[in-house]
């Protein structure tokens, strides 16, 4: 669709922060791009992006079920519409309203490129077990958002009834195997191309013909699959935290959406926890420290190495570990890096767990840290299982401080109740949390608040950040 350098017009529906439109614009500079999202905040992020070009881009907030697109886009002016994991959030009875709205701004023979959740996906099965069904294939998640799971038949019928022909449509499948737990997780999504009716035109292939069992990762970016954007590139992020000045090599923001691993980025939660450690070295001083899912940045581990006796940053992704080694080498003096031992650790993997535990002389770790490691529901149980096997069984140090498991995150796909349920299964007790500490009175309540003394709430960049402080029972 984009092989020729011609001035085509694209609309992305549900643009989010622009993770598709900016790489697309960089690869095809002749494009004119419209981008809309239900969230005004998302639109603000797009407009604030360094690559936002007002002469070639038009971003606006819009509820496609009620707001007329003609108020923002001229009639019959768009060549291609992308709908990536967006229609599933709309109630089935309102989906025709969305398609009719989009038709108003499409040129004759224009395309709609589509990807969204398919029936039989693991997430649907889990929601079914939790009795969160609203109607057929339509569910409510724990955070209140909605999710519809499409069958090929439903999707084709929906578009056909609203004036589109189906050019390509198929279900992509990915089986994720957890050998240690002996379970297979099925991820499924439907990918399709639709076109306004015209039976006399020969249609070029818009998407790769899907095959059952094809090895495609759902985390890969749609722009990569559809438009052939080039492979990812690294960039250097300069970061100042207290007395620390880091230069962290990570995946360029422009290409993060095409990457399989979240470990190639630096998340807000890691920055917050690193700031906490830089201001409160007593948390790790003289202790054995383990970081789970440290990613390529490892800033929490590097700061901990200043006073800890042993620091072990871990991740399951090989590319993240390669970058982590580079970042440690370029940011830490040898006197500190000698205390830091990087290891691969896939949660629940017995060989990996034993290898990491040997570093502590099989005594376990006094402090375990995890930043933004709670975003995938099926990984929560292995996370706490791994933490349980690696946390020290000590009753506490000279000051009476017990071994702790500290999580810093934003609640996304997994809510607090699910995290606490998994924690309880492996003998962890929540003794403090932040910003809200409405928990049972105990000796450790208020511990996290003490870490923030001298800082006001406005200092925290993202008010959605949370910290949870656990002890092993």
């Amino acid at each position: 669709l984009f092989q020729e350098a011609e001035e085509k017009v694209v609309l992305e529906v549900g643009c989010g922060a622009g993770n598709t439109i900016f790489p697309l614009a960089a690869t095809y500079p002749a494009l004119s791009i419209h981008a809309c999202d239900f969230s005004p905040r998302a639109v603000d992020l797009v407009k604030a992006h360094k690559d936002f070009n007002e002469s070639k881009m038009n971003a606006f907030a819009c509820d496609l079920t009620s707001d007329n697109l003609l108020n923002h886009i001229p009639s019959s002016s768009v060549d291609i519409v992308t709908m990536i994991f967006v229609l599933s959030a709309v109630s089935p009875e309102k989906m025709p309203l969305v398609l009719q709205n989009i038709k108003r701004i499409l040129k004759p023979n224009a395309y709609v490129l589509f990807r969204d959740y398919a029936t039989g996906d693991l997430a649907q099965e889990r929601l079914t077990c939790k009795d969160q069904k609203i109607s057929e294939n339509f569910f409510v998640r724990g955070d209140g958002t909605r999710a519809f799971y499409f069958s090929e038949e439903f999707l084709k019928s929906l578009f056909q009834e609203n004036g589109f022909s189906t050019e390509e449509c198929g279900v992509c499948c990915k089986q994720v195997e957890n050998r240690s737990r002996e379970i297979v997780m099925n991820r499924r999504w439907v990918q399709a191309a639709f076109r306004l009716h015209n039976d006399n035109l020969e249609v070029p292939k818009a998407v790769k013909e899907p095959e059952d069992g094809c090895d495609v990762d759902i985390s890969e970016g749609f722009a990569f699959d559809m438009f052939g954007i080039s492979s990812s590139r690294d960039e250097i992020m300069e970061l100042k935290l207290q007395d620390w000045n880091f230069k962290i090599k990570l995946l360029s923001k422009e290409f993060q959406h095409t990457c399989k691993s979240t470990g190639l980025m630096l998340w807000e939660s890691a920055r917050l926890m690193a700031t906490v450690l830089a201001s409160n070295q007593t948390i790790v001083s003289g202790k054995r420290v383990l970081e789970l899912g440290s990613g390529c940045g490892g800033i929490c581990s590097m700061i901990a190495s200043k006073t800890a006796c042993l620091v072990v940053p871990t991740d399951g992704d090989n590319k993240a570990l390669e970058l982590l080694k580079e970042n440690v080498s370029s940011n830490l003096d040898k006197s500190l890096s000698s205390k830091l031992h990087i290891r691969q650790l896939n949660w629940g993997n017995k060989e990996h767990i034993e290898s990491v535990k040997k570093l502590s002389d099989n005594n376990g770790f006094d402090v375990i840290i995890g930043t933004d490691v709670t975003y995938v529901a099926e990984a929560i149980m292995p996370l706490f299982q791994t933490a349980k096997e690696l946390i020290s069984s000590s009753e506490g140090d000279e000051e009476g401080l017990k071994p702790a498991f500290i999580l810093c995150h934003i609640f996304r796909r997994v809510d607090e109740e699910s995290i606490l349920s998994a924690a309880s299964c492996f003998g962890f007790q929540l003794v403090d949390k932040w910003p809200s500490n409405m928990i049972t009175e105990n000796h450790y309540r208020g511990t996290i608040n003490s870490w923030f003394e001298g800082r006001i709430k406005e200092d925290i960049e993202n008010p959605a950040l949370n910290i949870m402080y656990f002890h092993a029972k």
Side-chain angles (χ1 to χ4, degrees):
L1 295 179
F2 294 100
Q3 289 180 352
E4 299 178 11
E6 54 183 312
E7 293 186 2
K8 290 190 175 181
V9 180
V10 176
L11 165 64
E12 184 180 13
V13 175
C15 62
N19 288 338
T20 295
I21 64 170
F22 290 118
L24 194 57
T27 307
Y28 305 101
L31 291 180
S32 294
I33 297 176
H34 301 284
C36 68
D37 199 279
F38 181 80
S39 167
R41 171 61 177 157
V43 173
D44 288 342
L45 290 173
V46 169
K47 291 181 176 179
H49 194 282
K50 63 180 178 64
D51 295 327
F52 183 75
N53 181 350
E54 289 187 359
S55 66
K56 302 290 288 185
M57 297 179 179
N58 169 36
F60 56 93
C62 182
D63 179 352
L64 288 178
T65 65
S66 59
D67 298 335
N68 194 335
L69 279 174
L70 292 177
N71 293 330
H72 304 276
I73 304 173
S75 176
S76 304
S77 64
V78 174
D79 297 286
I80 299 167
V81 172
T82 61
M83 302 182 72
I84 319 275
F85 293 103
V86 62
L87 196 60
S88 55
V90 178
S91 300
E93 63 271 15
K94 292 187 176 181
M95 290 179 184
L97 298 177
V98 174
L99 298 185
Q100 289 299 319
N101 201 356
I102 289 172
K103 278 182 62 178
R104 295 169 183 160
I105 51 87
L106 288 178
K107 292 179 181 179
N109 306 313
Y111 286 96
V112 174
L113 305 182
F114 182 94
R115 176 187 278 185
D116 221 316
Y117 302 109
T119 52
D121 182 64
L122 173 68
Q124 181 186 19
E125 295 174 0
R126 292 183 179 276
L127 290 170
T128 301
C129 295
K130 293 181 180 180
D131 194 26
Q132 293 176 252
K133 186 175 180 179
I134 300 174
S135 60
E136 186 67 24
N137 293 326
F138 192 41
F139 298 82
V140 59
R141 300 188 183 97
D143 61 0
T145 58
R146 269 57 172 170
F148 186 85
Y149 295 84
F150 293 92
S151 65
E152 289 185 68
E153 294 74 21
F154 177 92
L155 187 62
K156 290 178 182 178
S157 177
L158 173 66
F159 273 84
Q160 182 177 351
E161 291 170 3
N162 286 278
F164 294 86
S165 60
T166 303
E167 308 305 331
E168 296 284 345
C169 185
V171 173
C172 299
C173 308
K174 168 75 174 179
Q175 284 194 332
V176 182
E177 183 179 2
N178 186 323
R179 293 192 179 96
S180 65
R181 297 176 63 200
E182 297 182 344
I183 60 173
V184 175
M185 298 171 283
N186 296 309
R187 305 314 310 263
R188 293 165 56 85
W189 66 100
V190 62
Q191 185 165 290
F194 300 99
R195 197 178 192 185
L196 286 180
H197 284 304
N198 193 319
D199 298 332
N200 298 320
L201 291 179
E202 183 178 348
V203 180
K205 297 296 184 182
V207 294
K208 182 180 178 181
E209 186 71 31
E211 302 175 0
D212 289 340
C214 61
D215 190 16
V216 181
D217 196 309
I218 196 167
S219 64
E220 292 190 35
F222 182 85
F224 180 81
D225 292 326
M226 285 291 193
F227 311 124
I229 289 175
S230 59
S231 59
S232 60
R233 307 170 190 169
D234 297 332
E235 69 178 15
I236 302 296
M237 173 185 284
E238 295 189 11
L239 189 64
K240 180 175 176 58
L241 298 172
Q242 302 290 329
D243 297 328
W244 296 80
N245 291 292
F246 293 107
K247 290 185 178 180
I248 302 298
K249 188 175 182 181
L250 42 71
L251 184 65
S252 169
K253 288 182 180 179
E254 183 177 350
F255 299 96
Q256 286 179 1
H257 76 291
T258 67
C259 145
K260 295 181 179 181
S261 171
T262 57
L264 301 181
M265 310 157 205
L266 188 61
W267 299 92
E268 291 173 289
S269 55
R271 298 188 202 184
L272 176 62
M273 196 64 221
T275 301
V276 167
L277 294 175
S279 304
N280 302 269
Q281 282 285 313
T282 54
I283 298 172
V284 296
S285 181
K287 294 182 171 63
R288 299 181 296 269
V289 179
L290 170 68
E291 185 175 5
L292 299 175
S294 62
C296 67
I299 55 177
C300 292
S301 289
M302 284 192 275
I303 289 176
S305 69
K306 182 177 181 179
T307 58
C309 65
L310 169 70
V311 181
V312 183
T314 65
D315 202 275
D317 182 76
N318 288 325
K319 175 61 176 175
L321 291 172
E322 290 175 11
L323 283 177
L324 177 58
K325 291 175 183 177
E326 289 186 44
N327 287 325
V328 168
S329 176
S330 61
N331 285 278
L332 275 190
D333 293 333
K334 288 185 177 180
S335 61
L336 298 182
S337 60
S338 62
K339 296 189 291 183
L340 193 147
H341 304 268
I342 298 170
R343 290 291 185 274
Q344 184 175 31
L345 176 56
N346 286 308
W347 305 334
N349 184 302
K350 292 182 179 179
E351 290 183 7
H352 290 179
I353 291 172
E354 287 302 317
S355 174
V356 170
K357 195 168 186 177
K358 286 180 181 178
L359 294 172
S360 69
D361 295 328
N362 291 317
N363 292 317
F365 293 84
D366 307 300
V367 179
I368 301 179
I369 297 169
T371 61
D372 243 325
V373 293
T374 58
Y375 56 90
V376 178
E378 53 265 30
I380 302 301
M381 294 294 277
L383 169 66
F384 277 97
Q385 174 198 349
T386 301
K388 179 63 175 179
E389 294 191 40
L390 290 172
I391 198 165
S392 170
S393 58
S394 168
E395 291 297 319
D397 59 17
E398 295 177 357
E399 297 180 3
L401 293 176
K402 294 182 178 180
F405 183 21
I406 305 170
L407 292 176
C408 182
H409 50 226
I410 294 173
F411 291 114
R412 292 187 173 90
R413 304 175 191 172
V414 183
D415 58 20
E416 181 175 317
E417 182 180 350
S418 299
I419 293 174
L420 293 178
S421 175
S424 179
C425 288
F426 291 98
F428 283 97
Q429 178 184 6
L430 182 69
V431 295
D432 196 19
K433 65 179 181 177
W434 176 91
S436 172
N437 62 352
M438 298 297 291
I439 59 176
T440 305
E441 186 67 40
N442 67 80
H443 175 68
Y444 292 90
R445 180 176 168 181
T447 296
I448 304 177
N449 271 335
S450 70
W451 299 343
F452 291 94
E453 288 181 358
R455 297 188 69 185
I456 58 175
K457 187 177 181 180
E458 286 72 18
D459 289 338
I460 310 302
E461 293 182 7
N462 192 333
L465 286 162
N466 290 263
I467 300 177
M468 306 176 79
Y469 189 93
F470 294 92
H471 282 163
K473 297 179 183 177

